[in-house]
Amino acid sequence: MSTPSAAAVARARRRATLGRFARDYRSHRAGLTGLAVLGFFCLVAVFAPLLADPAGLDVVKATAPGHMAPTLAYPLGTDENGRSILTLLIHGTRMSLLVGLAATAIAMVIGTAVGVTAGFYSGWPRSVLTAVSDWFLVIPFLPLAIVLATVLGASLLNIIVVIGVTSWPGTARLVAAQTLSVRERPYLERARALGGGDWHLMTRHVLPNVMPLVMAHVVLTVSVAILSETTLSFLGLGDPTRPSWGYILEHAFSTGAMSNNEWWFVVPPGVCVVLVVLAFTLVGRTLESVLNPRLKEAR
């Protein structure tokens, strides 16, 4: 019988690892609930043009009365311009998730690069990178984000960049701590003795060992990014041409919907924000519990 190749053995190990991960994850009801909620909102975001005509976002094409209470034709009523709030909510799902995921991707790339470098090297590189991370952690997030968003201007890309470049320090600290642990392990010394350079050691040995916990932390960062986008949009710093949940809440506040008891203008976007943030938190905590050996042993 022929001996299996190294590639076949690696594939079998990956399948076994994914199988164990799936079994561990399925044992957490909270994680499954969060995953189901996220799946629902992702489907709404993907099929938003099919669920609600994008033409309904155009103020010029709105024909219904403004501030109309819910009816069969408009299940969540209308805004001050006569647009269906349900249409705004459906398309706002796409914008809010897009900003949250894109900003988190930027934060993950910056935080991982800074964290691995700071944890792998000693001396002045670690001191400089740690000082920069501490500076971003000390500066209050919201005022810094407001200043950057005001300077760069109100656009979707700018909001993504602002949230991304202000959300990476937590990831950097986590990655640096894990890298410090990994770099002391014997197999890293063996790889160095065999001629592996710094880049090879960081990309082939350090990064794969820190990425599972990074992914768990990143899922939690998405919820923070969505809350940040909602806050900035509520303050009028979001993109006015692309409605998000924060955009809807800002319009509800500026047009007096809250004082006029127009709950259909305020409650739906608020509930969506709470549900998505809670779902990402449940999934992130579950991933952290499954991927962190110390937490798994404590169960």
Side-chain angles (χ1 to χ4, degrees), residues 84-263:
S84 171
I85 294 177
L86 180 59
T87 299
L88 294 174
L89 198 67
I90 290 174
H91 287 274
T93 303
R94 171 176 286 189
M95 290 301 103
S96 293
L97 289 180
L98 174 62
V99 172
L101 294 174
T104 301
I106 295 175
M108 181 183 68
V109 172
I110 298 175
T112 303
V114 172
V116 169
T117 305
F120 188 83
Y121 293 104
S122 58
W124 69 266
R126 180 182 300 172
S127 300
V128 171
L129 294 175
T130 302
V132 173
S133 301
D134 291 341
W135 183 84
F136 273 93
L137 287 172
V138 169
I139 298 297
F141 165 76
L142 186 57
L144 179 61
I146 291 175
V147 170
L148 291 176
T150 303
V151 172
L152 295 176
S155 72
L156 183 65
L157 179 60
N158 290 341
I159 290 296
I160 292 173
V161 172
V162 166
I163 297 175
V165 299
T166 54
S167 302
W168 60 267
T171 303
R173 295 294 295 270
L174 175 66
V175 173
Q178 288 296 117
T179 303
L180 284 172
S181 174
V182 172
R183 70 190 292 266
E184 300 299 331
R185 295 177 184 175
Y187 66 82
L188 209 65
E189 293 296 328
R190 289 196 295 268
R192 190 186 296 277
L194 292 173
D198 290 346
W199 178 255
H200 174 83
L201 295 177
M202 286 191 292
T203 56
R204 296 297 183 88
H205 297 284
V206 176
L207 196 59
N209 282 279
V210 302
M211 281 308 294
L213 291 182
V214 170
M215 295 305 298
H217 179 74
V218 162
V219 173
L220 296 173
T221 306
V222 177
S223 61
V224 177
I226 292 176
L227 281 176
S228 301
E229 186 279 331
T230 303
T231 303
L232 293 175
S233 295
F234 181 77
L235 294 175
L237 298 174
D239 191 341
T241 63
R242 299 185 180 184
S244 64
W245 295 333
Y247 168 92
I248 300 173
L249 290 172
E250 189 273 333
H251 272 256
F253 178 78
S254 62
T255 57
M258 296 181 180
S259 58
N260 294 330
N261 295 323
E262 297 176 7
W263 61 266

Side-chain angles (χ1 to χ4, degrees), residues 38 222-224 226-227 272-282:
L38 288 182
V222 177
S223 61
V224 177
I226 292 176
L227 281 176
C272 288
V273 171
V274 171
L275 287 177
V276 168
V277 170
L278 178 61
F280 272 112
T281 302
L282 292 176

Side-chain angles (χ1 to χ4, degrees), residues 19-33 286 289-290 296 299:
R20 288 195 300 270
F21 169 78
R23 288 193 299 272
D24 290 340
Y25 192 95
R26 285 198 299 268
S27 65
H28 293 75
R29 293 184 179 179
L32 292 176
T33 301
T286 302
S289 177
V290 171
K296 188 182 297 185
R299 291 177 55 194

Side-chain angles (χ1 to χ4, degrees), residues 35-52 90-91 93-94 97 101 276:
L35 199 61
V37 174
L38 288 182
F40 170 77
F41 280 102
C42 287
L43 289 176
V44 172
V46 171
F47 297 105
L50 300 178
L51 297 174
I90 290 174
H91 287 274
T93 303
R94 171 176 286 189
L97 289 180
L101 294 174
V276 168

Side-chain angles (χ1 to χ4, degrees), residues 3-15:
T3 303
S5 63
V9 173
R11 286 194 297 269
R13 287 179 177 176
R14 284 195 292 268
R15 286 195 298 268

